[in-house]
Short mmCIF file of all heavy atoms in Angstrom, two decimals:
data_model
loop_
_atom_site.label_atom_id
_atom_site.label_comp_id
_atom_site.label_asym_id
_atom_site.label_seq_id
_atom_site.Cartn_x
_atom_site.Cartn_y
_atom_site.Cartn_z
N ALA A 313 6.37 21.11 -12.80
CA ALA A 313 7.31 20.14 -13.33
C ALA A 313 7.51 20.33 -14.82
O ALA A 313 8.61 20.15 -15.35
CB ALA A 313 6.85 18.71 -13.03
N MET A 314 6.48 20.74 -15.49
CA MET A 314 6.59 21.00 -16.93
C MET A 314 7.47 22.23 -17.18
O MET A 314 8.25 22.25 -18.10
CB MET A 314 5.19 21.22 -17.53
CG MET A 314 4.33 20.00 -17.47
SD MET A 314 5.06 18.65 -18.40
CE MET A 314 4.02 18.66 -19.79
N ALA A 315 7.31 23.23 -16.36
CA ALA A 315 8.11 24.45 -16.52
C ALA A 315 9.58 24.17 -16.21
O ALA A 315 10.48 24.79 -16.78
CB ALA A 315 7.58 25.57 -15.62
N ALA A 316 9.83 23.21 -15.28
CA ALA A 316 11.20 22.90 -14.96
C ALA A 316 11.91 22.16 -16.08
O ALA A 316 13.12 22.13 -16.13
CB ALA A 316 11.21 22.07 -13.68
N GLN A 317 11.16 21.55 -16.99
CA GLN A 317 11.77 20.80 -18.09
C GLN A 317 11.83 21.60 -19.37
O GLN A 317 11.64 21.07 -20.44
CB GLN A 317 10.98 19.49 -18.27
CG GLN A 317 11.09 18.54 -17.13
CD GLN A 317 10.32 17.26 -17.39
OE1 GLN A 317 9.67 17.11 -18.41
NE2 GLN A 317 10.40 16.36 -16.46
N GLU A 318 12.18 22.88 -19.31
CA GLU A 318 12.35 23.72 -20.50
C GLU A 318 13.56 23.25 -21.26
O GLU A 318 14.43 22.57 -20.71
CB GLU A 318 12.49 25.20 -20.10
CG GLU A 318 11.20 25.77 -19.56
CD GLU A 318 11.38 27.22 -19.17
OE1 GLU A 318 12.45 27.81 -19.48
OE2 GLU A 318 10.48 27.75 -18.54
N PRO A 319 13.70 23.64 -22.54
CA PRO A 319 14.87 23.22 -23.28
C PRO A 319 16.16 23.69 -22.64
O PRO A 319 16.23 24.77 -22.03
CB PRO A 319 14.72 23.87 -24.67
CG PRO A 319 13.47 24.64 -24.62
CD PRO A 319 12.81 24.47 -23.29
N ALA A 320 17.22 22.88 -22.70
CA ALA A 320 18.48 23.17 -22.03
C ALA A 320 19.15 24.38 -22.65
O ALA A 320 19.24 24.47 -23.87
CB ALA A 320 19.38 21.95 -22.07
N GLN A 321 19.66 25.28 -21.86
CA GLN A 321 20.37 26.46 -22.34
C GLN A 321 21.86 26.20 -22.16
O GLN A 321 22.26 25.40 -21.27
CB GLN A 321 19.96 27.72 -21.56
CG GLN A 321 18.56 28.08 -21.79
CD GLN A 321 18.19 29.33 -21.01
OE1 GLN A 321 19.02 29.84 -20.26
NE2 GLN A 321 16.97 29.82 -21.19
N PRO A 322 22.70 26.86 -22.96
CA PRO A 322 24.15 26.66 -22.79
C PRO A 322 24.59 27.15 -21.42
O PRO A 322 24.00 28.11 -20.88
CB PRO A 322 24.77 27.49 -23.92
CG PRO A 322 23.75 28.45 -24.34
CD PRO A 322 22.41 27.83 -24.03
N PRO A 323 25.57 26.49 -20.86
CA PRO A 323 26.01 26.93 -19.52
C PRO A 323 26.59 28.34 -19.58
O PRO A 323 27.13 28.76 -20.62
CB PRO A 323 27.10 25.91 -19.16
CG PRO A 323 27.57 25.35 -20.47
CD PRO A 323 26.39 25.44 -21.40
N PRO A 324 26.47 29.11 -18.54
CA PRO A 324 27.04 30.45 -18.54
C PRO A 324 28.54 30.36 -18.69
O PRO A 324 29.18 29.39 -18.31
CB PRO A 324 26.64 31.03 -17.19
CG PRO A 324 26.38 29.84 -16.32
CD PRO A 324 25.92 28.74 -17.25
N GLU A 325 29.10 31.44 -19.32
CA GLU A 325 30.56 31.46 -19.52
C GLU A 325 31.27 31.45 -18.23
O GLU A 325 30.79 32.00 -17.22
CB GLU A 325 30.95 32.70 -20.32
CG GLU A 325 30.57 32.65 -21.77
CD GLU A 325 31.22 33.74 -22.56
OE1 GLU A 325 32.38 34.07 -22.28
OE2 GLU A 325 30.56 34.22 -23.46
N ARG A 326 32.51 30.84 -18.28
CA ARG A 326 33.29 30.75 -17.05
C ARG A 326 33.78 32.14 -16.69
O ARG A 326 34.13 32.93 -17.56
CB ARG A 326 34.50 29.85 -17.26
CG ARG A 326 34.11 28.40 -17.36
CD ARG A 326 35.25 27.47 -17.48
NE ARG A 326 36.58 28.10 -17.41
CZ ARG A 326 37.69 27.42 -17.56
NH1 ARG A 326 37.67 26.14 -17.75
NH2 ARG A 326 38.85 28.03 -17.50
N LEU A 327 33.83 32.37 -15.47
CA LEU A 327 34.32 33.66 -14.97
C LEU A 327 35.82 33.65 -15.08
O LEU A 327 36.51 32.71 -14.68
CB LEU A 327 33.92 33.83 -13.51
CG LEU A 327 34.38 35.10 -12.84
CD1 LEU A 327 33.77 36.32 -13.53
CD2 LEU A 327 33.99 35.08 -11.37
N ARG A 328 36.41 34.65 -15.76
CA ARG A 328 37.86 34.77 -15.96
C ARG A 328 38.51 35.37 -14.73
O ARG A 328 38.11 36.46 -14.30
CB ARG A 328 38.16 35.65 -17.16
CG ARG A 328 37.75 35.06 -18.44
CD ARG A 328 38.98 34.66 -19.15
NE ARG A 328 38.64 33.94 -20.36
CZ ARG A 328 39.41 33.05 -20.88
NH1 ARG A 328 40.57 32.81 -20.35
NH2 ARG A 328 39.08 32.42 -21.96
N VAL A 329 39.43 34.67 -14.22
CA VAL A 329 40.21 35.15 -13.07
C VAL A 329 41.67 35.20 -13.51
O VAL A 329 42.21 34.22 -13.98
CB VAL A 329 40.05 34.20 -11.86
CG1 VAL A 329 40.91 34.68 -10.70
CG2 VAL A 329 38.62 34.11 -11.47
N SER A 330 42.26 36.34 -13.41
CA SER A 330 43.69 36.43 -13.74
C SER A 330 44.50 36.11 -12.52
O SER A 330 44.35 36.74 -11.47
CB SER A 330 44.05 37.78 -14.30
OG SER A 330 43.63 38.79 -13.46
N PRO A 331 45.38 35.12 -12.63
CA PRO A 331 46.19 34.72 -11.47
C PRO A 331 47.22 35.76 -11.08
O PRO A 331 47.64 36.55 -11.91
CB PRO A 331 46.85 33.43 -11.92
CG PRO A 331 46.89 33.51 -13.40
CD PRO A 331 45.69 34.33 -13.83
N VAL A 332 47.61 35.75 -9.86
CA VAL A 332 48.62 36.66 -9.37
C VAL A 332 49.97 36.17 -9.86
O VAL A 332 50.26 34.96 -9.82
CB VAL A 332 48.60 36.73 -7.82
CG1 VAL A 332 49.73 37.58 -7.30
CG2 VAL A 332 47.29 37.23 -7.33
N GLU A 333 50.80 37.08 -10.34
CA GLU A 333 52.10 36.71 -10.88
C GLU A 333 53.11 36.59 -9.76
O GLU A 333 53.23 37.46 -8.92
CB GLU A 333 52.55 37.81 -11.87
CG GLU A 333 53.76 37.46 -12.64
CD GLU A 333 54.09 38.54 -13.69
OE1 GLU A 333 53.73 39.70 -13.46
OE2 GLU A 333 54.69 38.20 -14.69
N ASN A 334 53.83 35.49 -9.75
CA ASN A 334 54.89 35.26 -8.77
C ASN A 334 56.21 35.70 -9.40
O ASN A 334 56.63 35.13 -10.40
CB ASN A 334 54.95 33.78 -8.36
CG ASN A 334 53.65 33.32 -7.75
OD1 ASN A 334 53.17 33.94 -6.81
ND2 ASN A 334 53.07 32.26 -8.28
N VAL A 335 56.85 36.70 -8.80
CA VAL A 335 58.07 37.27 -9.39
C VAL A 335 59.20 37.18 -8.40
O VAL A 335 59.01 37.41 -7.22
CB VAL A 335 57.82 38.73 -9.78
CG1 VAL A 335 59.07 39.38 -10.30
CG2 VAL A 335 56.71 38.86 -10.79
N LYS A 336 60.40 36.89 -8.95
CA LYS A 336 61.63 36.95 -8.13
C LYS A 336 62.75 37.46 -9.01
O LYS A 336 62.66 37.42 -10.24
CB LYS A 336 61.96 35.62 -7.48
CG LYS A 336 62.52 34.60 -8.44
CD LYS A 336 62.96 33.36 -7.67
CE LYS A 336 63.69 32.41 -8.59
NZ LYS A 336 64.29 31.31 -7.91
#
Side-chain angles (χ1 to χ4, degrees):
M314 294 299 254
Q317 293 181 358
E318 290 180 9
Q321 294 180 357
E325 287 193 37
R326 289 185 2 184
L327 180 62
R328 292 252 174 207
V329 177
S330 51
V332 175
E333 188 175 29
N334 298 308
V335 177
K336 73 175 188 171

